[in-house]
Amino acid sequence: MFTSFFITLYHVFLPISLPVIGGILLKHFKDWDTRPLSAFSLYILSPALIFHTLLHAEITWTDVTSTFWFSILNLIALWALAEIISRIFGLGAPEKAGLTLVSTFTNCVNYGLPLVLLAFGQLGLDKASVYVIGQMIIVNTVGIFFAARSEFTVKNAMLSVFRMPTIYAAVIAVIMRSSGISLPDALDGGVSMMATGYSPIVLAILGAQMLRPKGDTAPWQSNVRKAFWAGLVVRLVAAPILAWLILKALQVEGTLFPVLLILASMPTAVNAVILAEQFGASPQFVSRCILWTTAVSMVFLPIMIVMSS
């Protein structure tokens, strides 16, 4: 067990930590503005990665349906848990919305995809691509609803989905794969090169975002403190347990099982604080949950990888 843990740390988390540390150093010494590179990652590298992965992925229809049902059931279970905890602790509307965001959305893209690739290889990345696309859609629809139910409109939510280039990349890849159309070697090589550049860039951005989360210097309030600790417990303890139970109930097997388990157990998504800030869903504690769940995951996730493999 301990040998496998340290092997996982060495082969999986050491490579991941290098660009993360690079991002932290750039932010600290150069006050690195990550916005331009984040836009490049979102609009160029992420679509290239999803397009290339889906075009060449070894996935079956069973993988797709199992991933779909797992995503829906896991979302409902975590949302219900956040609702119950909010009522038990008497959280206000902002803290309740923030806790729901922290509980339900994970950093499965910027952190999860590189981790899955290193831990489970290309086959793991193939399986993960379906889950990640579904999460992108859910975050930009259900996520907006969770953050601001009073301001939520179906039209705005759907428009936000169609603004994501990754969705179009996924649709084109599925059409090409279904039609038996393949890219010329030169174009496929170019897309592959952009897809390869995705991991180190987004991990460096993640490191910069970890260093100084917004709202970290704001004073603690009673509701914020309760929501913070509840968010940590849900994301680090309850979420993996619920994911394991749902996967077992769905009888998911093979590589798909540990991939979905790990992705569902990732730390809180960075874009959760963006929604929290935009709609006043207590960004103070959401940003702190992102920082601490990400830090703890460096020890927690290697154990999960060893136990689930």
Side-chain angles (χ1 to χ4, degrees):
M1 173 69 177
F2 287 105
T3 302
S4 299
F5 172 77
F6 287 111
I7 290 174
T8 302
L9 276 181
Y10 180 76
H11 288 288
V12 177
F13 282 84
L14 179 59
I16 282 179
S17 69
L18 295 180
V20 171
I21 293 171
I24 292 174
L25 294 175
L26 276 175
K27 183 67 176 180
H28 180 72
F29 290 106
K30 296 294 184 180
D31 195 23
W32 179 32
D33 182 5
T34 60
R35 288 175 295 179
L37 205 53
S38 293
F40 179 67
S41 169
L42 175 64
Y43 292 104
I44 302 297
L45 298 184
S46 179
L49 176 68
I50 294 298
F51 176 81
H52 186 264
T53 301
L54 285 180
L55 196 61
H56 300 280
E58 295 183 15
I59 52 177
T60 64
W61 181 246
T62 301
D63 291 336
V64 174
T65 55
S66 296
T67 301
F68 171 80
W69 285 113
F70 170 75
S71 299
I72 298 298
L73 293 174
N74 193 54
L75 176 68
I76 294 172
L78 290 171
W79 168 74
L81 182 60
E83 287 282 329
I84 293 170
I85 292 174
S86 297
R87 293 187 181 185
I88 291 175
F89 288 118
L91 299 181
E95 289 74 30
K96 179 180 178 180
L99 179 60
T100 306
L101 291 174
V102 166
S103 302
T104 53
F105 300 123
T106 67
N107 197 353
C108 61
V109 182
N110 292 5
Y111 186 2
L113 287 179
L115 175 62
V116 166
L117 179 60
L118 284 169
F120 303 104
Q122 185 60 46
L123 180 60
L125 184 63
D126 293 348
K127 309 291 186 184
S129 61
V130 178
Y131 178 83
V132 166
I133 292 169
Q135 289 302 300
M136 289 179 177
I137 296 173
I138 289 173
V139 167
N140 285 274
T141 52
V142 180
I144 295 174
F145 172 69
F146 285 158
R149 299 180 190 184
S150 61
E151 303 176 33
F152 175 81
T153 66
V154 175
K155 179 182 177 181
N156 288 340
M158 293 309 298
L159 285 176
S160 68
V161 172
F162 290 109
R163 292 191 190 105
M164 296 188 298
T166 305
I167 299 300
Y168 297 102
V171 171
I172 294 171
V174 170
I175 292 174
M176 290 183 63
R177 183 165 179 163
S178 302
S179 306
I181 301 173
S182 58
L183 280 180
D185 290 341
L187 285 178
D188 193 53
V191 174
S192 176
M193 181 175 62
M194 290 191 293
T196 303
Y198 173 84
S199 294
I201 288 178
V202 298
L203 287 171
I205 293 171
L206 175 64
Q209 291 169 331
M210 285 177 61
L211 188 62
R212 291 189 300 187
K214 295 181 180 180
D216 194 49
T217 58
W220 284 97
Q221 297 176 359
S222 177
N223 268 0
V224 174
R225 186 183 298 274
K226 291 178 183 178
F228 171 74
W229 288 110
L232 289 187
V233 171
V234 171
R235 185 93 309 272
L236 296 173
V237 180
I241 294 174
L242 285 173
W244 187 86
L245 291 173
I246 293 171
L247 288 169
K248 284 294 185 182
L250 292 173
Q251 298 182 335
V252 176
E253 299 177 344
T255 305
L256 186 62
F257 183 96
V259 166
L260 292 180
L261 180 60
I262 296 301
L263 290 176
S265 305
M266 298 299 296
T268 303
V270 173
N271 52 11
V273 77
I274 297 174
L275 289 174
E277 287 175 341
Q278 184 175 354
F279 298 107
S282 194
Q284 179 189 29
F285 99 84
V286 173
S287 63
R288 292 178 181 181
C289 280
I290 292 171
L291 172 63
W292 286 104
T293 55
T294 302
V296 173
S297 72
M298 296 295 180
V299 176
F300 175 68
L301 288 176
I303 297 174
M304 287 199 62
I305 291 172
V306 171
M307 294 180 65
S308 61
S309 299

